[in-house]
Amino acid sequence: MQDVSETRLTFKAATLRRDSLQQQIYDHLRSDIMTGVFRPGETLSSRSLATELGVSAMPVREALTRLTTEGALELTTSRTLRLRLLTPEDFDEITAIRTDLEGMAAERAAEQITGDSLARIGKLNDDLTAAANSGDADRYLKANATYHAEIYKISGWPLLLSMIERLWLIVGPSIRTCVPDRDHMATSQGFHDAVMTALTKGDAKAVRAAIVDDIQTAAHDIRAFLASGQKH
Amino acid sequence: MQDVSETRLTFKAATLRRDSLQQQIYDHLRSDIMTGVFRPGETLSSRSLATELGVSAMPVREALTRLTTEGALELTTSRTLRLRLLTPEDFDEITAIRTDLEGMAAERAAEQITGDSLARIGKLNDDLTAAANSGDADRYLKANATYHAEIYKISGWPLLLSMIERLWLIVGPSIRTCVPDRDHMATSQGFHDAVMTALTKGDAKAVRAAIVDDIQTAAHDIRAFLASGQKH
DNA sequence: CACTGCAATCTGAGATCGCAGATCAACGAT
DNA sequence: ATCGTTGATCTGCGATCTCAGATTGCAGTG
């Protein structure tokens, strides 16, 4: 592998050096973790990932180290890396921070939004609704992640976005294990529609409230799941 | 070097393997950056740091990579790493996030505080006052960092603390370049005393308000400095 | 004296090798 | 059959070597 995401552009990517190999691997793993490709507690080894991707162990290792620093992975006593397991207390903490930061990003996005970006969010919301109706959990999770991320990007605050993404990185696997639920998708879509109407009206406080409701409703389901004893 | 922080315990640390070399180097650099040992824009090279510390380039490299991910360092076009230079806009963003997160941590700490921890914070506040009176900027900055960190630790939310520390990591160098100012230390001590009285009264909202005031007052000075064109 | 050009020397990044723990399965003794 | 031990094979971590790009400084030429 020279380019993790697009194997057909291998040579071009290797020549132009779009990013370092390590960066590509990091981005790839990060995206996979956020969207729930890996399960909580699943172990990741640098060597096996390296052979799987066709590179040396080093760039994989550095990517995994970065993910460990960010709290997505944890080092077990037996020196193996695994996806972090969240306690209900961990989850409460993350939810509190998420409502604060995502609420701030959403409110600011509402103040900064332009016609173009509003239209783009509208389209992403349609995609999200379609994904929810299709019942395809993977598709829904990906659409949900991009929908939220695009809103927060409008805030114009990249550091804020990166901190929010770090939180997603930690809760992503847990979300994946319990969200494939049609009821959850339906109620969540209600909040997303509320976000859209508030955005079009330019009501920043209402946008924040709808985002916070979305997070807390999802958190309620996930917390119940975590407390009930995790079945991975 | 086998142990970055305590060279006299070299052998013991190497034997007991308290942490990986990379982790020790990371912690060491992180602390140095937060407390302003390095200046904004200063370049850091993995090899020179490695020879300086007496280790191979690799653990230093991984530590620097992690710091780059967190936004403390940036990669220039000539592929050298340097301490990130903040624009006034960057600084506004960080300040907004800091008031949110540190306010939340302080408020929660006030709710969770015990007699023991209150006494410890009181002692740290005394240290801070002494440092301010001494006029020793380095000592003051270190005391200030531990004072705030200890308060936030009481919140019992480690992820929140680590996210706050990431913000400190980014603003640390800029703070160092403009804070060595007796007036600033004096006004800041006023807020710290307000934190103490609010903590003893158990008034969580007042604790949050005092912390927010402290951050915003400092931010005002730093922003003026950044806007005036940075003289490193 | 000024400008051009080449070479030495920086930089980060990747590959490869070896080490020390930890796990686990197979094998032998009881 | 069961328990204990041992060795093969995982794991992450560090050192070393190499490469490509960028900078720098010195030398040679106009």
Side-chain angles (χ1 to χ4, degrees), chain B residues 17 20-22 47 55-56 58-59 77-79:
Chain B
R17 284 292 291 281
S20 69
L21 248 183
Q22 171 196 149
R47 278 206 252 267
V55 296
S56 85
M58 163 137 354
T77 55
S78 62
R79 303 207 312 175

Side-chain angles (χ1 to χ4, degrees), chain A:
Chain A
M1 178 203 77
Q2 297 299 322
D3 186 305
V4 183
S5 53
E6 303 162 324
T7 44
R8 300 190 51 188
L9 294 180
T10 293
F11 176 72
K12 190 176 177 185
T15 306
L16 299 181
R17 286 291 294 280
R18 191 194 59 186
D19 270 322
S20 69
L21 247 183
Q22 170 195 150
Q23 185 66 41
Q24 294 178 46
I25 295 168
Y26 172 79
D27 290 339
H28 186 245
L29 289 177
R30 180 186 169 102
S31 159
D32 276 1
I33 291 174
M34 278 202 294
T35 58
V37 171
F38 302 106
R39 303 219 166 278
E42 186 171 347
T43 84
L44 296 179
S45 106
S46 61
R47 278 206 249 266
S48 49
L49 270 175
T51 57
E52 185 180 332
L53 296 172
V55 296
S56 84
M58 165 136 354
V60 180
R61 192 168 115 185
E62 302 201 11
L64 292 178
T65 305
R66 288 163 73 178
L67 293 169
T68 306
T69 325
E70 296 182 314
L73 305 177
E74 58 187 0
L75 192 55
T76 68
T77 56
S78 62
R79 306 207 310 175
T80 63
L81 286 172
R82 71 173 177 201
L83 250 75
R84 182 168 161 197
L85 290 171
L86 295 184
T87 66
E89 292 73 29
D90 291 334
F91 192 72
D92 289 343
E93 177 184 1
I94 296 174
T95 302
I97 305 175
R98 282 189 64 198
T99 55
D100 250 53
L101 293 188
E102 297 190 38
M104 171 167 43
E107 183 173 343
R108 197 179 142 87
E111 295 161 357
Q112 305 267 326
I113 202 164
T114 66
D116 282 357
S117 43
L118 181 60
R120 194 170 68 252
I121 299 301
K123 193 196 167 301
L124 289 174
N125 193 30
D126 293 343
D127 292 349
L128 191 51
T129 307
N133 291 336
S134 78
D136 182 342
D138 290 327
R139 181 179 158 199
Y140 176 79
L141 285 169
K142 277 192 196 301
N144 188 47
T146 59
Y147 170 77
H148 281 264
E150 285 299 319
I151 291 179
Y152 304 152
K153 271 181 200 161
I154 297 172
S155 73
W157 277 355
L159 176 62
L160 180 55
L161 178 65
S162 101
M163 297 191 80
I164 291 172
E165 283 182 337
R166 176 176 170 190
L167 298 171
W168 282 47
L169 197 60
I170 301 178
V171 290
S174 295
I175 291 180
R176 179 62 183 84
T177 58
C178 65
V179 155
D181 179 279
R182 292 189 87 96
D183 289 342
H184 175 85
M185 295 189 205
T187 58
S188 183
Q189 268 314 101
F191 295 123
H192 294 154
D193 291 337
V195 169
M196 276 309 298
T197 59
L199 273 178
T200 49
K201 282 197 295 183
D203 186 346
K205 293 288 182 190
V207 173
R208 176 195 278 260
I211 288 285
V212 168
D213 282 344
D214 186 28
I215 295 172
Q216 287 183 335
T217 306
H220 182 267
D221 296 349
I222 299 172
R223 200 194 189 292
F225 177 83
L226 288 179
S228 76
Q230 320 185 0
K231 49 167 197 293
H232 305 122

